[in-house]
Amino acid sequence: MELMHSGKVREVYRDGPDELILVASDRVSVYDVVLPTPIPDKGKLLTALSLWWFEQLGDIVANHVISATDVPDEWAGRAIRCRAVDIVPVECIARGYLAGLGWEAYAKDGAISGVELPSGLVEGDRLPEPVFTPTTKVAPEDGHDEPMTFDEVSDQVGTELAERLRALTLQLYRRAAERAESRGVILADTKFEFGLTPDGDVVLADEVLTSDSSRYWRAEDWKPGGRQVGFDKQYVRDWARDLGWWDRTPPGPEIPADVVEETARRYRVMYERITGLTWNG
């Protein structure tokens, strides 16, 4: 096997000409900076959640998963064997609620990624309809992902593929939000990544609907008009933001033990509530 890429939270190995092995670590990144403190079992937990969602969405679009068990023993539970595909260089984000950078953009301009929204909305509000708000996909050393309009996506990948990405992103979000809602969970927003096979088919790739790539709230906690109670990576982002002294550049701050423990707990709560399964580590 050959190490192809070491990312913020995962390593990607090539195993033969057409297959990759994605290995999820326990690292956590916020604001595109990897923090020095791991979250125990994070990689295994989010791999399991991603695999569960891949199964739920398989009738909408094919995915890159080959096997979750045909991987080296030392990576058992945190690795997935996948088809090698050409990743589309666009972060495909669907938003159903106003939060995070989406809320900041709306508060400033009344729009997100060029999508105009009704006036008078507050932080945490549910949008009239889910919206497609893509961003660039850049390497950490090249800076932060930046918002893109649909026209900019079309210019980059072509109108036909851009329309396909938008339609799939919103269809996948609606399905996932409905499934989550039936379990008392609000899927406020999420990020999808897509790849192209050698035949040009679009497949769902990378991770999907994990607590690192999605914003999850418990339905009973939802109170529009301010910051929501996040059961996802937002808990660590909020802690980092509230420090007041960190400028969001490397090196990142050490995460205190109580924040580590609470982050791990919230990841477990979401896994169990969404899937209906008990997490056994």
Side-chain angles (χ1 to χ4, degrees), residues 154-192:
S154 296
D155 290 342
Q156 182 161 336
V157 304
T159 300
E160 183 178 353
L161 179 55
E163 290 177 346
R164 174 76 168 145
L165 295 177
R166 179 171 62 183
L168 279 174
T169 297
L170 294 175
Q171 187 177 4
L172 290 166
Y173 172 81
R174 289 188 176 98
R175 166 72 67 78
E178 180 180 318
R179 293 282 171 88
E181 188 173 354
S182 72
R183 303 291 176 87
V185 174
I186 291 173
L187 173 61
D189 55 54
T190 193
K191 173 194 74 175
F192 298 108

Side-chain angles (χ1 to χ4, degrees), residues 4 9 53 63 84 88-90 93 95 105 127 138 140 142 150 156 187-188 197 219-220 225 241 266 271:
M4 300 293 295
V9 297
W53 276 117
N63 59 63
V88 179
V90 176
I93 298 171
R95 299 180 186 274
L127 300 177
V138 300
D142 295 330
F150 178 75
Q156 182 161 336
L187 173 61
T197 69
E220 64 266 29
R241 181 174 64 180
R266 293 189 185 207
Y271 172 84

Side-chain angles (χ1 to χ4, degrees):
M1 276 183 294
E2 176 188 1
L3 177 63
M4 300 293 295
H5 176 68
S6 183
K8 289 178 294 217
V9 297
R10 274 172 305 201
E11 276 74 52
V12 181
Y13 293 85
R14 182 173 291 279
D15 190 16
D18 304 315
E19 297 182 3
L20 301 175
I21 296 180
L22 273 59
V23 184
S25 75
D26 292 336
R27 299 189 297 270
V28 62
S29 72
V30 296
Y31 305 115
D32 291 324
V33 176
V34 177
L35 302 186
T37 316
I39 306 298
D41 279 344
K42 171 179 174 285
K44 289 184 177 181
L45 201 153
L46 298 190
T47 295
L49 183 57
S50 193
L51 287 166
W52 187 87
W53 276 117
F54 274 125
E55 290 186 3
Q56 304 302 308
L57 304 172
D59 61 317
I60 295 177
V61 62
N63 59 63
H64 67 164
V65 176
I66 295 174
S67 173
T69 56
D70 183 15
V71 298
D73 290 343
E74 64 266 31
W75 298 330
R78 64 173 67 245
I80 304 175
R81 182 177 294 275
C82 308
R83 288 186 285 169
V85 295
D86 290 328
I87 297 295
V88 179
V90 176
E91 301 276 8
C92 293
I93 298 171
R95 299 180 186 274
Y97 293 75
L98 269 182
L101 294 177
W103 161 246
E104 292 178 14
Y106 170 79
K108 179 181 178 182
D109 302 320
I112 311 174
S113 295
V115 179
E116 296 288 336
L117 296 173
S119 61
L121 299 176
V122 299
E123 185 176 7
D125 258 342
R126 184 170 186 165
L127 300 177
E129 292 290 337
V131 293
F132 177 61
T133 60
T135 70
T136 57
K137 179 178 173 60
V138 300
E141 61 270 17
D142 295 330
H144 299 284
D145 297 336
E146 297 293 339
M148 301 178 74
T149 65
F150 178 75
D151 287 344
E152 288 171 337
V153 177
S154 296
D155 290 342
Q156 182 161 336
V157 304
T159 300
E160 183 178 353
L161 179 55
E163 290 177 346
R164 174 76 168 145
L165 295 177
R166 179 171 62 183
L168 279 174
T169 297
L170 294 175
Q171 187 177 4
L172 290 166
Y173 172 81
R174 289 188 176 98
R175 166 72 67 78
E178 180 180 318
R179 293 282 171 88
E181 188 173 354
S182 72
R183 303 291 176 87
V185 174
I186 291 173
L187 173 61
D189 55 54
T190 193
K191 173 194 74 175
F192 298 108
E193 293 197 33
F194 296 94
L196 297 174
T197 69
D199 295 330
D201 295 328
V202 177
V203 298
L204 187 58
D206 200 63
E207 63 181 339
V208 60
L209 291 156
T210 69
S211 302
D212 270 11
S213 64
S214 311
R215 200 181 306 270
Y216 284 120
W217 306 329
R218 296 187 306 184
E220 64 266 29
D221 296 327
W222 180 47
K223 295 179 181 178
R227 185 191 297 182
Q228 304 300 303
V229 179
F231 273 71
D232 48 65
K233 192 170 70 172
Q234 188 62 39
Y235 180 74
V236 183
R237 286 196 198 97
D238 290 344
W239 164 80
R241 181 174 64 180
D242 292 344
L243 289 174
W245 55 264
W246 183 45
D247 63 0
R248 303 184 184 182
T249 61
E254 292 277 356
I255 309 174
D258 61 325
V259 176
V260 170
E261 182 179 349
E262 180 61 16
T263 302
R265 186 189 74 84
R266 293 189 185 207
Y267 280 8
R268 290 194 300 270
V269 166
M270 272 301 103
Y271 172 84
E272 293 185 341
R273 183 178 284 206
I274 289 170
T275 66
L277 303 173
T278 299
W279 177 251
N280 294 314

